[in-house]
Amino acid sequence: MSIEEALLPDSDEKLSAERAYELYWAELLGEEPHFHCAGTGCQAQLTCACLKKPEQTLLIRPYFRSFRLEDHAPTCEVMHGHGTPKKDKGPDIFEAERPANHFHAVGSVAPVGARLRAKSQQGGATAGPSRASALLHKPAPPKPSHFYRLSSLVQKFLEHRRDKDLAEAPVTIGGETTTYEALFRNVYRQKAADHLQTRAVWWGTASLRATKDGGYYLRFTRPFRHGDELLKPTMTLASKDIEAYPVRKLLRARLDNLIANHDGYCVVFVWAKPWMPKDADKPFVRFYVDNLDHIDVRSPDILEELKSTSRITIAEH
């Protein structure tokens, strides 16, 4: 059974599996984090599946599961349901920016419920906060449908593709609500000049290589159109931006794996506007990414999952 939310030890704040995945790769949960069920009166231990896997697909994604089903309390609505209908979560939400303290410890004390449990367990002595409970005290962890990394949105895109409801599935991004079908656009043979003001999740196959300064360079293998010319958009990920990125360990693991095992052939998603120079001798298209949460680079293994999301047939490498 897949479980959406869990608690860290000594914390009353619910943690989504996606949030746990980010915190683990930001090296803030330790090497072997432990989780507890968030159900009423329940202390069942949970594990987060796929936590240590840098690559994600429809089948490989983070989620919580129980070690033993019998460990859940009779009052646990997470496991037993108690006939409570699931509420409509509304549209998925992608935030353009994380809160400034999203990856920093901001609380000086553990949540009240955690202190009371610790006091009861230790015969009256109140335990000090763990690093993780302080880390999660503020801001509240995002809901399962509330995302900061584009990779999380790509996962939902793949799920809606599988469920054949891209045109009906709503998503709020940059404060505006649209559908997954309208938001995700393949670069192939689109007219570049028509989309210079179109911020969307542009995607396509690309080649990836490392740069001498520790960054990465990406070049799409399929082009935009510009008059009679075909322009393959490019993108650079600077080393200084990567080193400042809290989830850089995950990003580098994915990119280095693609270079080592797929000769840099990959599928890129980027939330951005195409950019073209006004007075260049030779026209070109580039994507600029000033927030590494806005790019997702995946292995070519997902091409089969992507083929039916566009009217354009994806060419094989």
Side-chain angles (χ1 to χ4, degrees), residues 173-187:
I173 183 169
E176 298 183 0
T177 300
T178 183
T179 64
Y180 276 89
E181 183 177 65
L183 178 63
F184 281 73
R185 304 189 181 201
N186 194 305
V187 303

Side-chain angles (χ1 to χ4, degrees), residues 190 219 311:
Q190 298 268 10
R219 182 181 179 86
R311 295 178 182 177

Side-chain angles (χ1 to χ4, degrees), residues 3-317:
I3 298 174
E4 289 186 342
E5 296 177 315
L7 302 173
L8 284 167
D10 298 331
S11 173
D12 273 351
E13 297 177 62
K14 294 179 181 180
L15 182 71
S16 71
E18 173 61 25
R19 175 77 166 145
Y21 185 77
E22 287 187 336
L23 292 175
Y24 173 79
W25 282 96
E27 301 183 283
L28 293 170
L29 289 186
E31 188 58 31
E32 298 295 338
H34 298 284
F35 307 94
H36 291 159
C37 181
T40 302
C42 190
Q43 288 291 309
Q45 291 191 10
L46 307 180
T47 186
C48 188
C50 304
L51 189 69
K52 299 182 180 182
K53 293 184 179 294
E55 186 67 29
Q56 291 186 31
T57 66
L58 275 173
L59 299 178
I60 301 174
R61 59 177 181 81
Y63 64 93
F64 295 112
R65 59 181 174 81
S66 306
F67 283 99
R68 299 191 310 170
L69 299 182
E70 58 268 28
D71 289 343
H72 288 268
T75 55
C76 177
E77 67 277 9
V78 173
M79 181 56 58
H80 304 300
H82 303 302
T84 303
K86 289 186 177 180
K87 296 181 180 179
D88 184 3
K89 295 179 183 176
D92 294 326
I93 299 173
F94 180 72
E95 294 287 0
E97 299 289 340
R98 295 177 188 267
N101 55 2
H102 198 63
F103 284 106
H104 296 275
V106 295
S108 59
V109 294
V112 173
R115 298 200 308 274
L116 291 177
R117 285 199 303 272
K119 184 175 181 180
S120 174
Q121 293 168 0
Q122 298 181 16
T126 301
S130 66
R131 183 186 181 202
S133 64
L135 172 76
L136 292 171
H137 188 52
K138 292 178 182 179
K143 297 177 181 179
S145 58
H146 197 115
F147 306 124
Y148 294 99
R149 284 189 313 122
L150 182 62
S151 181
S152 306
L153 211 64
V154 172
Q155 282 293 109
K156 297 302 290 285
F157 171 64
L158 295 174
E159 292 173 13
H160 288 300
R161 183 215 65 83
R162 176 198 62 199
D163 298 338
K164 303 185 186 303
D165 62 355
L166 285 172
E168 295 80 37
V171 54
T172 298
I173 183 169
E176 298 183 0
T177 300
T178 183
T179 64
Y180 276 89
E181 183 177 65
L183 178 63
F184 281 73
R185 304 189 181 201
N186 194 305
V187 303
Y188 182 51
R189 297 189 70 84
Q190 298 268 10
K191 292 182 179 180
D194 291 349
H195 295 289
L196 298 182
Q197 299 304 314
T198 303
R199 184 179 290 275
V201 179
W202 294 97
W203 66 271
T205 54
S207 60
L208 164 72
R209 63 174 173 83
T211 61
K212 292 181 179 179
D213 68 347
Y216 299 89
Y217 177 81
L218 289 139
R219 182 181 179 86
F220 282 74
T221 60
R222 306 292 277 170
F224 276 108
R225 284 188 296 152
H226 184 64
D228 294 332
E229 297 189 73
L230 299 178
L231 307 176
K232 297 179 179 179
T234 61
M235 191 178 348
T236 300
L237 308 182
S239 177
K240 63 180 180 64
D241 293 333
I242 295 173
E243 290 309 306
Y245 184 47
V247 202
R248 59 187 172 275
K249 183 179 178 182
L250 174 61
L251 178 62
R252 286 197 182 277
R254 286 189 175 186
L255 299 183
D256 291 343
N257 177 68
L258 288 167
I259 293 171
N261 297 319
H262 299 280
D263 295 324
Y265 184 51
C266 58
V267 179
V268 180
F269 299 82
V270 57
W271 185 54
K273 297 177 183 178
W275 180 85
M276 294 184 67
K278 292 182 179 179
D279 302 316
D281 293 336
K282 185 176 178 60
F284 61 87
V285 181
R286 184 167 294 166
F287 288 113
Y288 284 99
V289 180
D290 57 5
N291 183 338
L292 294 178
D293 279 332
H294 298 170
I295 183 173
D296 185 30
V297 185
R298 301 205 174 203
S299 82
D301 296 340
I302 71 164
L303 286 175
E304 288 300 320
E305 298 172 359
L306 287 167
K307 279 185 177 177
S308 62
T309 63
S310 172
R311 295 178 182 177
I312 306 299
T313 301
I314 302 173
E316 298 297 333
H317 179 53

